[in-house]
Amino acid sequence: MSQTPIIRVRNLRKLFPIRGGGLSSFLTKEELFVHAVDDVSFDINTDEVLGLVGESGCGKTTLGRLLIRLLEPTSGEVYYRDTNILSLSQSEMRELRPKMQIIFQDPYESLNPRMTVLDLVAEPLEVNDLIENDAEKEEKVAEILEQMRLTPPEEFMFRYPHELSGGQRQRIAVARALIIHPDFVVADEPVSMLDTSTRGEILNLMIELKALTRSYLFITHELAVARHFCDRIAIMYLGRIMEMGTSDEIVKNPSHPYTRALLEATPVPNPKSRKEKVNIKGEVISPINPPRRCRFYTRCLMAEEICSRLEPELVDIGGGHMVACHLNQG
Ligand code: SF4
């Protein structure tokens, strides 16, 4: 794996305004925003899989979409190699699109039910003018269907999504993202809607097919799945990165109380073991105009006085292991 970043994110923020805002905002005239992504900075290296882990509603999906500009941020910068993608015009962004793809969570919603597998998988090739004729289209689609173990490909090419199982549909979604060999893929909970036997198969296929892309942001709410698939892991909580490091370091030497709580919720490092709910006691603070203190304060068993009045910065505690907790800041 190269240490050259393919994606660089600097001070990225995405605030969603709240319409109305209720009586208290009317009285104070304070504008209210959901802080979905709040001052986040990190790199994804070439040939790296970075896992983004956190409970639902923590801002993972919003962050993934910001990285490929499916959403516009409130402020901050996103670089693909040396290009600040937020400075690109729409037509420049269209040229960059084939380099950046996304696999959506829901294989039932992400595929157009009126298109055949052949047309669905070939769509990125056609949109980006990467094929000359129908023969080449069928050849390229057949090749990736074989790689996705949808064989013989002729048996699948002319089927519609409703004629496929959930696992087969997600293989089609993965094939669509990878057929143009993008540099960077956002995989947004790609196995969370699948049954346990299919999840492991799809993950193993994605590992085998890693050569078809350079780097992934792999979004999941399950640490065990991230450990299985990712080189490094970033732990996200209420719009902020709480801890980031190599997968081994995060699992064997977790330094943030939230990471430890997540690990206790998923004790078995096996992607087939599924724990849906993280059972951490305490009230989750609202993501609407959150106070400038540690966001995990209300649930943290280690909290001290300083945690209630100062938001900890994400700092390197050694070897690139980053932690945002006052207990780790000397
Ligand atoms: Fe807990 Fe304080 Fe660390 Fe936040 S900063 S995780 S409240 S110890």
Side-chain angles (χ1 to χ4, degrees):
M1 186 207 322
S2 157
Q3 290 300 311
T4 312
I6 201 164
I7 297 287
R8 282 183 296 137
V9 178
R10 294 293 176 266
N11 306 108
L12 198 62
R13 298 179 91 205
K14 180 65 184 177
L15 313 186
F16 293 103
I18 303 271
R19 308 226 184 277
L23 183 62
S24 60
S25 74
F26 175 75
L27 293 174
T28 60
K29 302 272 187 265
E30 186 188 20
E31 283 193 84
L32 296 182
F33 295 93
V34 171
H35 290 225
V37 173
D38 205 354
D39 199 7
V40 164
S41 300
F42 60 87
D43 294 347
I44 301 175
N45 293 319
T46 306
D47 295 326
E48 179 180 59
V49 182
L50 177 68
L52 185 61
V53 178
E55 292 163 271
S56 71
C58 74
K60 310 183 293 290
T61 292
T62 303
L63 180 53
R65 285 167 194 221
L66 291 170
L67 295 200
I68 55 173
R69 211 174 160 192
L70 289 183
L71 270 179
E72 295 293 323
T74 306
S75 61
E77 291 157 9
V78 179
Y79 293 88
Y80 163 72
R81 300 189 185 276
D82 289 327
T83 305
N84 181 351
I85 65 168
L86 302 174
S87 69
L88 298 180
S89 66
Q90 280 198 356
S91 65
E92 289 169 327
M93 199 58 220
R94 247 194 315 277
E95 274 176 40
L96 190 61
R97 281 266 166 250
K99 305 275 184 206
M100 309 170 118
Q101 294 290 302
I102 185 164
I103 301 165
F104 292 102
Q105 176 177 15
D106 188 345
Y108 292 87
E109 280 196 354
S110 65
L111 302 177
N112 184 335
R114 287 185 205 86
M115 289 170 76
T116 62
V117 166
L118 174 64
D119 289 334
L120 283 165
V121 177
E123 195 177 30
L125 295 169
E126 290 179 319
V127 167
N128 294 295
D129 279 334
L130 297 173
I131 39 172
E132 306 262 319
N133 51 47
D134 284 351
E136 193 184 357
K137 173 176 164 178
E138 285 196 23
E139 189 187 323
K140 291 206 164 173
V141 170
E143 190 184 335
I144 196 140
L145 291 183
E146 278 192 2
Q147 286 171 311
M148 296 308 302
R149 309 265 159 73
L150 292 167
T151 53
E154 310 76 50
E155 228 177 69
F156 288 91
M157 271 194 211
F158 302 101
R159 289 194 199 171
Y160 288 88
H162 73 268
E163 296 173 300
L164 303 170
S165 67
Q168 288 168 340
R169 286 181 205 214
Q170 198 56 315
R171 283 169 203 242
I172 298 298
V174 175
R176 262 167 72 85
L178 298 186
I179 194 167
I180 51 176
H181 296 212
D183 265 358
F184 175 58
V185 173
V186 173
D188 185 4
E189 303 243 23
V191 295
S192 66
M193 308 268 300
L194 305 176
D195 61 61
T196 40
S197 66
T198 314
R199 295 151 58 79
E201 284 169 29
I202 301 275
L203 274 178
N204 287 333
L205 259 177
M206 287 176 71
I207 291 169
E208 274 177 42
L209 296 178
K210 179 71 182 38
L212 297 181
T213 182
R214 305 302 305 260
S215 310
Y216 280 102
L217 178 75
F218 186 87
I219 298 173
T220 176
H221 60 279
E222 294 169 89
L223 251 177
V225 171
R227 188 195 186 184
H228 182 71
F229 189 61
C230 304
D231 302 301
R232 283 191 306 144
I233 293 174
I235 305 289
M236 194 167 186
Y237 187 79
L238 278 178
R240 304 268 289 184
I241 303 292
M242 293 288 163
E243 183 163 10
M244 182 157 52
T246 63
S247 299
D248 257 12
E249 187 69 3
I250 293 291
V251 172
K252 291 183 186 157
N253 187 23
S255 295
H256 195 286
Y258 178 56
T259 311
R260 288 196 206 115
L262 279 181
L263 275 165
E264 279 165 23
T266 50
V268 186
N270 172 0
K272 290 184 179 173
S273 115
R274 186 137 95 148
K275 278 219 171 184
E276 289 291 352
K277 209 155 164 50
V278 177
N279 188 16
I280 305 170
K281 292 198 167 55
E283 183 195 347
V284 183
I285 66 167
S286 166
I288 301 169
N289 291 17
R292 288 285 154 206
R293 66 181 183 192
C294 177
R295 294 185 186 195
F296 193 55
Y297 175 72
T298 50
R299 301 169 88 189
C300 183
L301 300 175
M302 317 281 289
E304 296 182 355
E305 187 271 335
I306 188 176
C307 312
S308 68
R309 57 182 169 80
L310 205 60
E311 185 142 41
E313 294 294 324
L314 190 65
V315 297
D316 193 334
I317 60 167
H321 186 165
M322 315 277 289
V323 184
C325 172
H326 290 302
L327 298 182
N328 289 280
Q329 300 192 351

